[in-house]
Amino acid sequence: MSLVMMHEFKKIIESSKEAKKLGLQTVLASVVDLEGSSYRRPGVRMLIWENGKFTGAVSGGCVEKEINRQAQIVFATGVPRIMTYDGRFRLGCEGILYVLIEPFSPSPFFFDTLETVLLSREPFSLHSYYKKEDSQNINYGSACLFNSNVLSLQGKELNSHKLHVFKQTMTPCNQLIIIGSEHDAVQLCSFATALGWEVTIVTSPMEEKDISHFPGAKKLIAVEPELFPIRDIDKHTAVILMTHSYAKDLKYLLALSTSYPSYLGTLGPSKRREKLLHEFMEHNPEADLDFLENIHGPAGLDIGAETPQEIAISIMAEILAVVRKKQPIKLRDKEKGIHQ
């Protein structure tokens, strides 16, 4: 869950900085508890500006109006509050949401610390304190735990005695490394970015491509396979080989052999994959079995994809399924709840 939340939290942080530059106050709304089912689960947040603008959403759109109304009370009083929203009569989700609404005014030290943690791709915890009832309390609020530092999102110390606590681990954003620079790589970059993934494009130094060719990409690396920065790959990183060159794919695959991404995909038919793996083993007979079993090729799920855009959706769907350890099925065939 936190993998999804991190990129949303980063957008909230950037939005709050923008509001502060304009001299506008902001309020943070966080879903901290749930009874029954809902469109989104606890941990989702949205930021409301005092001029009515907002960043993020906590539902499909029905809850936000009531949150905005109650946020005006927080703007006026400065006192955090819990709002309950019974969707059984209004949403069709048959759930009761508990939403913490609090002033959002972190200290400069908070922003500096968060930036350092994000750059180092380290996890941190986010705790929210509240009572499970419609109420207001000066001690309601949220704080981030960065190793030894506990920093409130309100910029003040919180007294959490006798309050409920919602705990969330915020892990680094999912990262997708696309090795290739053709049109299909552009489409995959676009869809991955829309899903909140941080995308890195890897090209050959001989190719005349720059980051402007890949809207949404965080960075572009022009490097030969032998110099590929393996250190950038962690357990929250997926890699897709799509150079459209068998020789290049083989070289990059050999370079990746000591890495352990969460997903490693290759384009092309099954015969190409088998040939690629056979030649890979000839060059690297001591390759780790776990590395080989993590190679997915042809990359993607069979959804009848034909166009580059549809293929990008197919690939991202498989990546999500693998990363979240899910076996794709139709939701109507699930015996348990959607989020279970």
Side-chain angles (χ1 to χ4, degrees), residues 136-267:
Q136 59 181 13
N137 188 316
I138 60 172
N139 288 314
Y140 289 172
S142 304
C144 288
L145 284 67
F146 304 112
N147 295 321
S148 60
N149 293 313
V150 180
L151 303 178
S152 165
L153 300 188
Q154 297 179 37
K156 68 172 188 176
E157 188 174 344
L158 300 173
N159 182 358
S160 59
H161 185 60
K162 293 185 179 180
L163 296 178
H164 291 289
V165 56
F166 170 68
K167 299 180 179 180
Q168 185 177 20
T169 299
M170 304 294 285
T171 49
C173 282
N174 283 317
Q175 180 175 244
L176 176 63
I177 297 178
I178 301 175
I179 302 177
S181 59
E182 300 301 330
H183 179 62
D184 52 358
V186 176
Q187 298 303 319
L188 182 59
C189 175
S190 176
F191 279 94
T193 300
L195 293 175
W197 288 61
E198 294 181 345
V199 179
T200 295
I201 303 295
V202 178
T203 69
S204 167
M206 303 299 293
E207 297 183 59
E208 296 181 355
K209 296 287 179 72
D210 58 52
I211 198 167
S212 66
H213 291 95
F214 304 90
K218 184 177 181 181
K219 60 182 176 180
L220 181 144
I221 302 174
V223 63
E224 295 294 351
E226 297 80 6
L227 300 176
F228 185 89
I230 298 298
R231 64 184 180 278
D232 291 346
I233 297 175
D234 57 28
K235 63 181 180 180
H236 303 296
T237 303
V239 181
I240 181 79
L241 283 169
M242 49 196 315
T243 67
H244 294 277
S245 164
Y246 177 86
K248 288 181 181 179
D249 279 358
L250 177 60
K251 289 180 179 180
Y252 278 113
L253 191 61
L254 288 166
L256 291 165
S257 63
T258 57
S259 68
Y260 292 92
S262 58
Y263 173 96
L264 176 55
T266 64
L267 291 192

Side-chain angles (χ1 to χ4, degrees), residues 276-324:
L276 188 65
L277 292 180
H278 178 75
E279 196 162 346
F280 171 85
M281 290 302 297
E282 288 183 347
H283 285 84
N284 189 4
E286 303 299 323
D288 189 274
L289 182 60
D290 288 340
F291 174 81
L292 294 172
E293 291 182 343
N294 191 37
I295 297 175
H296 300 265
L301 298 180
D302 185 3
I303 58 172
E306 294 288 346
T307 67
Q309 294 84 0
E310 292 172 349
I311 292 170
I313 293 173
S314 167
I315 292 172
M316 288 308 303
E318 183 183 42
I319 291 175
L320 288 174
V322 171
V323 167
R324 297 179 187 169

